[in-house]
Amino acid sequence: MRGWEEKKKKGKIVGFENQHRIEMSSGLISAISWVRRGAALRHPEREKGGKGEGDWIDEEEEEGMGMDVDASKDGDGDGDGDGDGDGDGDGDGDGEEAEAEAEAEAEADLAEYNLSTYDEEDGKRSKHFSDFHNIAVYRDNRDDPFITLKTPSSPTSSTSSTQLEILPTDNLVISAKTEDAISHLEVYVYEESDAGHLYVHHDLMLSNLPLCLEWLDFKPGGGADCGNYIAVGTLDPEIEIWSLDVMDPIYPTAVLGSPPKTNKKKTVNGSYHVDAVLGLSWNTNQRNLLASASADNTVKLWDLTTDQRAFRSYHQHTDKVQSLQWSSTSPSVLLTGSYDRTISVFDTRSSESLGLGAFLPSDVEVVRWDPWNEFGLYVSLENGFILYFDIRSLPSTPHSLSLSPATFTLKAHDGPASALDTSPHVKGCIVTGGDDRLLKVWNVDAGQGHSPNISLVQSQDLGIGKIFSAVFSPDSPLTIAAAGSKGVLRVWDLGPGPDRAGGAALGRKGTVIAVDSDPEESDEEDEL
């Protein structure tokens, strides 16, 4: 998914990817993220403190009436002042005479049509609506004996609550979807079973096209309790953090890095981004830390407990920073990858980006640490290759004239390898996806004392178009969520049998679970 330099033209979002023009009117999913079991609130809440539609209408009417009154007052004042430019007071006299004439005309109309005694017709009153006091009124329809079909008294009844319930055994899958120039997050519930169930629970509207997602359980502003939040990077320079336990929210829970209106020239600085946010990574060890990568060539660190400005910024790359990830074994070490064809590994405890790096043969798409080797890392490239490095062999200053040697190189896809993830459950298991529309699962033995051994376990076209994102489940060893240019989310379960937790399950073809898409979208992407 190279070069998310998106522009809005004539109401449609247009992307430039390897100089190929992609119109996304049929919809696409640019990023996905899992939510582990038990993290979501069992009964999600609805937005509180918001005003109903009637409240807004009443306020607008009052404001409009106030404007009319003020305007009429101003008009009277102007009429009095402009009635006679010499200021002799004739204007006030004319106004009083006009009011007297209007009152006389009103009294004449009342007398002519007998309107003053209209409701007193020969002392007889209409009895059509005179018996309201005899009508029985019940506070609840369930108490009315004439209503035989009893309905729930409130939307929070047991029936509605059961339909919206998220069980502790359910996973959530968040997809960043854009369709017809409208962007939103779709919150899916994945029920793991023999058949598997996947459905949309609710969605969140976004202000711009989303480019990356990162789940976190740390509440912005601090707090001891864990939460359920998703950080979103878009074409805007801000980072939005939304609560996934609140349905139909109007605004995000927090917004990081809102640039001041005075910075119209978009000057790169240390406090906030000035271009699109391309990558996000949450530190699971230091839970208040969030790292972001941007098209402004910088990497920034955010402390979620304090204000909404970055507390540290790094400028080691000379082009857009596409991907980054914290190390799970060394909490202060950050890995980044850029379009300048370099990766960088550095310690964030220092304000300077002094560390290790490598120069690569192509632009970086995704970087991932090896969860089974604290010194190993994977890099996927625009040319379709997957590279594996041992950071102990990386130079401190990568030279642009010589390529850094990798532990092994794998030709994974024809075209950009835009998706890459490593399994936290099965050692050496990785998944890749690319513009060739294939999702591939590999078994990798990087080798210690022997040459690397790499084998392709599964390869499948899931019907999701060009693959932009593929992520392993945090709970199920061999379950993968993937999405791409057709705007369809698929969950690929490779281990439906009892041996799903072991490497033997890699030999199974597995089950693909999906939500039915709009039939009008089925073939549009094939023409691109």
Side-chain angles (χ1 to χ4, degrees):
M1 195 171 58
R2 186 223 191 279
W4 272 106
E5 302 173 11
E6 313 289 349
K7 297 182 179 180
K8 291 184 178 179
K9 293 184 177 180
K10 298 181 180 178
K12 292 185 179 180
I13 301 174
V14 179
F16 294 93
E17 184 176 273
N18 298 335
Q19 298 180 352
H20 294 291
R21 186 171 181 269
I22 301 177
E23 295 207 6
M24 295 173 285
S25 59
S26 61
L28 67 81
I29 295 177
S30 50
I32 55 177
S33 178
W34 285 89
V35 178
R36 58 177 171 81
R37 296 172 187 165
L41 198 64
R42 185 156 188 163
H43 299 284
E45 303 172 350
R46 293 198 177 271
E47 179 75 7
K48 294 181 179 179
K51 298 183 179 181
E53 182 178 357
D55 298 334
W56 292 109
I57 294 175
D58 291 342
E59 287 187 3
E60 290 177 1
E61 288 181 350
E62 290 177 2
E63 291 177 1
M65 291 173 64
M67 292 176 62
D68 292 340
V69 171
D70 294 338
S72 63
K73 290 181 178 179
D74 295 340
D76 293 341
D78 294 341
D80 294 342
D82 297 339
D84 194 348
D86 55 9
D88 57 3
D90 292 342
D92 293 337
D94 294 343
E96 293 176 358
E97 292 178 0
E99 291 180 2
E101 292 178 359
E103 292 178 359
E105 292 179 0
E107 292 177 358
D109 291 339
L110 290 174
E112 180 179 358
Y113 297 103
N114 197 24
L115 295 179
S116 59
T117 59
Y118 180 78
D119 295 328
E120 302 175 3
E121 297 179 356
D122 300 331
K124 298 179 180 179
R125 293 187 177 183
S126 174
K127 296 184 179 181
H128 295 295
F129 305 101
S130 58
D131 295 329
F132 273 117
H133 62 281
N134 293 326
I135 297 178
V137 179
Y138 298 93
R139 184 178 297 275
D140 195 322
N141 287 340
R142 292 177 297 178
D143 299 331
D144 192 335
F146 294 99
I147 298 180
T148 57
L149 181 61
K150 306 299 182 182
T151 58
S153 58
S154 68
T156 57
S157 62
S158 58
T159 303
S160 177
S161 179
T162 302
Q163 293 175 349
L164 298 176
E165 183 179 20
I166 300 175
L167 300 178
T169 56
D170 294 339
N171 285 108
L172 298 185
V173 186
I174 316 303
S175 72
K177 188 171 184 178
T178 300
E179 187 174 14
D180 295 329
I182 298 176
S183 299
H184 60 282
L185 299 181
E186 290 183 334
V187 181
Y188 289 82
V189 172
Y190 174 61
E191 301 176 354
E192 187 178 73
S193 60
D194 293 338
H197 297 284
L198 182 69
Y199 62 91
V200 177
H201 186 272
H202 64 280
D203 60 1
L204 309 172
M205 298 301 298
L206 299 177
S207 58
N208 210 334
L209 188 144
L211 304 177
C212 55
L213 299 175
E214 182 74 354
W215 180 81
L216 59 151
D217 67 11
F218 188 85
K219 181 180 179 180
D225 297 335
C226 292
N228 182 22
Y229 301 91
I230 192 77
V232 186
T234 69
L235 287 177
D236 293 327
E238 300 94 346
I239 300 170
E240 298 179 355
I241 300 179
W242 295 82
S243 173
L244 298 176
D245 291 334
V246 177
M247 299 178 61
D248 304 324
I250 301 175
Y251 302 106
T253 304
V255 179
L256 306 180
S258 298
K261 297 181 180 179
T262 55
N263 190 4
K264 297 182 179 180
K265 295 182 179 180
K266 295 186 177 181
T267 305
V268 177
N269 60 88
S271 299
Y272 51 86
H273 290 299
V274 295
D275 209 335
V277 178
L278 305 180
L280 293 168
S281 181
W282 173 56
N283 195 318
T284 56
N285 295 292
Q286 300 291 333
R287 296 174 48 248
N288 62 309
L289 294 184
L290 181 69
S292 60
S294 174
D296 63 8
N297 306 351
T298 69
V299 173
K300 286 181 168 51
L301 305 185
W302 310 83
D303 185 353
L304 298 176
T305 62
T306 58
D307 57 15
Q308 299 175 354
R309 290 286 183 263
F311 71 91
R312 195 156 293 168
S313 182
Y314 299 95
H315 306 262
Q316 71 269 36
H317 292 291
T318 59
D319 205 341
K320 301 175 184 64
V321 187
Q322 169 72 3
S323 180
L324 77 171
Q325 188 181 38
W326 291 99
S327 171
S328 59
T329 56
S330 301
S332 62
V333 176
L334 188 63
L335 166 65
T336 63
S338 170
Y339 289 165
D340 62 6
R341 298 188 177 186
T342 66
I343 58 172
S344 179
V345 180
F346 58 97
D347 194 329
T348 59
R349 288 175 294 185
S350 172
S351 58
E352 299 180 359
S353 55
L354 300 176
L356 307 174
F359 182 72
L360 310 173
S362 184
D363 294 353
V364 174
E365 292 286 346
V366 186
V367 294
R368 287 290 181 269
W369 288 100
D370 185 350
W372 305 93
N373 180 4
E374 61 178 327
F375 302 111
L377 62 90
Y378 294 90
V379 184
S380 70
L381 302 179
E382 184 194 0
N383 60 8
F385 280 85
I386 306 295
L387 277 60
Y388 187 90
F389 289 95
D390 188 319
I391 61 174
R392 293 170 293 185
S393 63
L394 294 179
S396 58
T397 54
H399 197 276
S400 60
L401 298 180
S402 59
L403 299 177
S404 303
T407 303
F408 69 81
T409 301
L410 168 67
K411 177 60 176 176
H413 296 276
D414 296 327
S418 50
L420 168 67
D421 198 25
T422 57
S423 172
H425 304 285
V426 180
K427 184 177 181 180
C429 181
I430 67 171
V431 61
T432 64
D435 275 17
D436 56 6
R437 305 166 188 258
L438 294 177
L439 192 66
K440 299 182 179 182
V441 179
W442 307 83
N443 186 22
V444 178
D445 183 359
Q448 293 183 355
H450 62 84
S451 59
N453 183 15
I454 307 168
S455 59
L456 177 63
V457 178
Q458 291 287 347
S459 178
Q460 190 167 351
D461 185 346
L462 301 182
I464 58 179
K466 298 176 181 179
I467 299 174
F468 294 154
S469 184
V471 187
F472 278 101
S473 167
D475 299 297
S476 301
L478 295 172
T479 300
I480 304 166
S485 59
K486 285 191 175 182
V488 180
L489 175 67
R490 296 278 195 268
V491 174
W492 190 13
D493 188 353
L494 287 172
D499 57 348
R500 62 183 305 131
L506 284 173
R508 298 178 179 271
K509 185 164 182 152
T511 305
V512 178
I513 304 153
V515 174
D516 292 336
S517 59
D518 190 338
E520 296 179 358
E521 300 178 0
S522 58
D523 300 323
E524 290 186 13
E525 175 63 21
D526 295 333
E527 301 176 359
L528 300 178

